[in-house]
């Protein structure tokens, strides 16, 4: 595919880095010549210096023959205008990064006229990730498939847990619920396990199940603690969207923000939230505002290092759950010393969405990728396929399918039914099929077969 990426900040660079691995023809456009030269040197891409919303620049980039234009500058207006021009020139599909809550409300109204195929919002998607984690505080991360019908949670096994020393085949009897352990991270190794695999303390495992079965799973493993009091550091767009998502919840939320204008904006929009004007990275401020024994602590400033430092302090003050925004993946290991810490990266969340869209568009066969998550430092992929055509894997018991190594079918969603498959389960037309694999770049379900 011919893909053009307009804007090469954190989001754009992450998209390019990941999409380059997929073997597509990529052209980047950015106003900063240093950024363009760095991207050309680092990746196998063409580069053009200029304004991506300029007609002449888009013509120079041959946008009219593009399969996809992705506009991810820091300006919503430039992104929307870039996609509008690209659509007029003849680009097949366009994706715009749109972050402003005011635009989000009217985006559906404008979408067709602008020629937008899809909009992406890193802050909103991050807020959704946070709200999912707070639903299951015993999880490090929570991903969803089939519009939330099935979920994939990451859990670390503690010493003495019911899971410590348990073989996978014994879990149905131990837990009395239908779950599937589909990936294990042990030390530096990633394992796609089989039934006789034995879990150990400190393993990080990925567990797939329906929402209700996961509730039972966390109850059985004593990790279904209710959270009520939440402290948030930073009143940016992620915090804004998070408050919108949990407006009907029973959380008591306190936000600490040093920018007076932001404090005023949040006070006007969220009357049921305590807004404190102060430096949330100052330990004295945190102590005076009651960090000791807080249920959940969210570090959402724009500075990775500050988020890590205040998270460590929150852990020292025994916060039950800690969630931190860290865009620089090289810093993630600093959070390993914190027990129940969840780390998320807005740029990686959005990159996964774009790659999912690209794989679906590139695939002309029988099953499209509708959802994609990269797990365990991008060494594992979790993909959702929709079966639209009959293939050699349809109506065949899974025990009779020869799968490639390190691939597991973690779940099948059939209508409203979530199926944790066994050897007698078969894939049918219109199923949503969840695949976990260490084999990157899958575009179609046929590729799971050996």
């Amino acid at each position: 595919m011919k893909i053009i990426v307009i804007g090469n900040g954190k989001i754009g660079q992450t998209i390019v880095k990941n999409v380059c691995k997929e073997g597509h023809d990529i052209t980047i456009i950015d106003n900063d010549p240093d950024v363009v030269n760095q991207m050309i040197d680092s990746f196998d891409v063409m580069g053009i210096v200029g304004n991506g919303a300029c007609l002449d620049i888009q013509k120079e980039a041959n946008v009219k023959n593009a399969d996809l234009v992705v506009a991810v500058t820091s300006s919503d207006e430039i992104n929307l205008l870039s996609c509008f021009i690209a659509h007029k020139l003849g680009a097949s599909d366009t994706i715009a990064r749109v972050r402003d809550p005011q635009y989000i409300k009217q985006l559906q109204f404008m979408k067709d006229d602008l020629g937008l195929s899809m909009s992406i919002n890193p802050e909103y998607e991050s807020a959704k990730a946070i709200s999912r984690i707070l639903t299951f505080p015993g999880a490090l991360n929570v991903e969803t498939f089939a519009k939330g019908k099935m979920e994939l949670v990451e859990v670390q096994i503690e010493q003495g847990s019911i899971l410590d020393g348990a073989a996978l085949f014994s879990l149905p009897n131990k837990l009395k619920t239908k779950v599937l352990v589909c990936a294990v991270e042990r030390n530096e190794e990633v394992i796609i396990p089989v039934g006789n695999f034995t879990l150990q303390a400190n393993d990080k495992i990925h567990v797939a199940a329906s929402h209700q079965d996961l509730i039972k799973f966390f109850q059985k493993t004593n990790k279904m603690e209710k959270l009520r009091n939440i402290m948030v550091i930073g009143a940016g767009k992620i915090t804004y969207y998070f408050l919108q998502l949990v407006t009907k919840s029973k959380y008591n939320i306190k936000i600490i923000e040093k920018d007076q204008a932001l404090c005023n904006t949040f006070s006007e929009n969220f009357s049921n939230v305590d807004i404190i004007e102060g430096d949330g990275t100052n330990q004295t401020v945190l102590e005076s505002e009651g960090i000791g024994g807080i249920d959940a602590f969210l570090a959402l400033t724009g500075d990775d290092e500050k988020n890590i430092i205040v998270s460590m302090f929150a852990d020292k003050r025994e916060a039950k759950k800690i969630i931190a925004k860290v865009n620089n993946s090289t810093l993630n290991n600093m959070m390993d010393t914190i027990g129940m810490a969840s780390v998320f990266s807005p740029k990686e969340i959005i990159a996964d969405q774009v790659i999912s869209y690209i794989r679906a568009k590139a695939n002309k066969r029988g099953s499209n990728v509708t959802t994609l998550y990269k797990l365990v430092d991008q060494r594992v992929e979790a993909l959702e396929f929709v079966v639209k055509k009959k293939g050699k894997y349809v109506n065949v018991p899974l025990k009779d399918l020869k799968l490639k190594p390190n691939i597991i079918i973690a779940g099948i969603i059939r209508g409203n039914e979530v199926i944790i498959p066994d050897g007698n389960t078969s894939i049918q037309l219109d199923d949503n099929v969840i695949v976990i694999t260490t084999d990157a770049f899958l575009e179609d379900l046929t590729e799971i077969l050996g």
Side-chain angles (χ1 to χ4, degrees):
M1 288 174 59
K2 179 174 175 58
I3 300 170
I4 295 173
V5 179
I6 299 173
N8 280 265
K10 290 179 183 177
I11 300 287
Q13 289 184 29
T14 303
I15 290 171
V16 170
K17 181 183 75 173
N18 285 278
V19 172
C20 272
K21 300 173 186 175
E22 313 260 325
H24 299 289
D25 175 13
I26 300 172
T27 299
I28 64 166
I29 301 174
D30 197 279
N31 273 320
D32 189 331
D34 291 336
V35 168
V36 172
N37 289 330
Q38 178 223 324
M39 294 294 286
I40 292 172
D41 290 341
S42 300
F43 306 105
D44 184 19
V45 299
M46 297 287 290
I48 296 174
V49 177
N51 182 353
C54 175
L55 179 64
D56 289 340
I57 292 294
Q58 290 208 15
K59 285 182 177 179
E60 184 182 347
N62 196 22
V63 162
K64 68 178 182 179
N65 292 319
D67 297 296
L68 177 64
V69 173
V70 185
V72 286
T73 75
S74 59
S75 167
D76 290 352
E77 292 83 1
I78 288 177
N79 295 336
L80 291 169
L81 180 57
S82 298
C83 287
F84 175 73
I85 293 170
H87 175 67
K88 286 292 187 181
L89 284 175
S92 297
D93 287 285
T94 64
I95 297 175
R97 175 193 189 185
V98 183
R99 308 158 68 201
D100 193 317
Q102 296 181 72
Y103 290 151
I104 297 300
K105 294 176 183 176
Q106 61 195 51
L107 198 56
Q108 199 58 43
F109 172 73
M110 304 185 300
K111 194 173 180 181
D112 290 340
D113 291 333
L114 290 170
L116 268 186
S117 307
M118 176 183 175
S119 65
I120 51 179
N121 185 337
E123 289 76 16
Y124 178 63
E125 295 301 328
S126 297
K128 287 202 298 185
I130 292 168
S131 63
R132 290 196 300 265
I133 292 169
L134 292 176
T135 302
F136 292 123
L140 300 175
N141 288 295
V142 182
E143 317 290 5
T144 64
F145 300 95
K147 298 179 179 178
K149 292 173 185 171
M150 184 172 184
E151 292 170 301
L152 180 69
V153 300
E154 181 183 3
V155 179
Q156 184 158 19
I157 299 176
E158 297 175 348
Q159 198 84 34
S161 162
I162 191 174
L163 301 174
D164 185 8
L168 295 190
F169 67 79
S170 70
L171 293 186
N173 284 332
K174 281 179 175 288
L175 302 175
K176 308 298 182 188
T177 187
K178 296 178 180 178
V179 299
L180 182 70
V181 176
C182 43
V184 178
E185 181 183 4
R186 178 173 293 170
N187 301 320
E188 297 299 317
E189 186 181 6
V190 178
I191 303 157
I192 303 297
V194 294
N196 61 357
F197 183 86
T198 300
L199 301 173
Q200 297 178 7
N202 299 318
D203 284 350
K204 288 183 180 178
I205 63 174
H206 287 82
V207 182
S210 68
H211 184 80
Q212 290 304 316
D213 282 325
L214 281 174
I215 290 175
K216 296 175 185 175
F217 168 81
F218 282 112
Q219 287 172 339
K220 285 286 187 180
T221 56
N222 296 318
K223 285 180 171 286
M224 198 58 200
E225 190 169 8
K226 295 278 187 184
L227 304 179
R228 185 159 179 78
N229 299 311
I230 300 174
M231 180 177 285
V232 185
I233 310 303
K237 287 185 173 67
I238 295 176
T239 304
Y240 186 94
Y241 286 119
F242 170 69
L243 294 180
Q244 284 190 326
L245 289 171
V246 299
T247 184
K248 295 180 181 178
S249 72
K250 296 181 179 179
Y251 297 134
N252 297 319
I253 300 175
K254 177 179 289 188
I255 298 171
I256 304 176
E257 168 59 53
K258 61 183 178 182
D259 186 293
Q260 186 181 48
L262 279 175
C263 289
N264 292 337
T265 298
F266 272 69
S267 294
E268 291 167 6
N269 285 280
F270 304 102
S271 58
N272 60 335
V273 175
D274 291 332
I275 313 293
I276 308 299
E277 184 182 345
D279 185 356
T281 63
N282 184 300
Q283 294 183 10
T284 303
V285 173
L286 293 174
E287 291 282 14
S288 65
E289 294 302 330
I291 192 173
I294 199 81
D295 289 336
F297 182 86
L298 314 185
L300 305 180
T301 78
D303 188 307
D304 287 354
E305 287 83 358
K306 287 182 179 178
N307 289 339
I308 292 171
I309 290 168
V310 295
S311 294
M312 289 177 172
F313 183 67
D315 181 54
K316 185 178 178 181
R317 301 299 288 125
E318 299 183 348
K320 296 175 185 175
K321 182 67 186 180
I322 296 168
I323 302 176
K325 178 172 79 75
V326 181
N327 261 319
N328 187 346
S329 58
T330 61
L331 299 176
N332 284 355
N333 61 350
M334 296 178 67
M335 296 290 288
D336 289 345
T337 59
I338 304 176
M340 285 309 300
S342 297
V343 180
F344 70 93
S345 166
K347 66 179 186 179
E348 297 292 352
I349 292 172
I350 290 304
D352 286 354
Q353 286 189 338
V354 173
I355 292 169
S356 174
Y357 187 91
I358 289 170
R359 289 201 198 168
K361 184 173 171 58
N363 178 22
K364 306 299 182 186
R365 288 169 284 178
S367 55
N368 277 345
V369 176
T370 60
T371 311
L372 177 147
Y373 300 107
K374 289 184 180 289
L375 314 171
V376 197
D377 298 327
Q378 302 202 342
R379 290 180 289 168
V380 174
E381 289 189 353
L383 306 105
E384 177 182 353
F385 294 91
V386 178
V387 182
K388 290 299 183 184
K389 295 180 181 178
K390 187 168 183 178
K392 60 180 74 174
Y393 50 80
V394 173
N395 295 326
V396 178
L398 296 184
K399 64 184 179 183
D400 296 331
L401 290 179
K402 185 181 178 183
L403 301 182
K404 291 179 181 175
N406 295 319
I407 286 180
I408 189 169
I409 296 176
I412 296 171
I413 297 93
R414 186 168 297 151
N416 289 319
E417 182 185 8
V418 175
I419 301 168
I420 300 299
D422 59 29
N424 296 314
T425 306
S426 61
I427 296 169
Q428 299 179 13
L429 280 175
D430 297 321
D431 282 351
N432 292 55
V433 181
I434 313 304
V435 174
I436 311 295
T437 178
T438 55
D439 185 6
F441 316 130
L442 296 185
E443 291 181 357
D444 189 86
L445 262 181
T446 56
E447 295 173 2
I448 70 174
L449 302 178

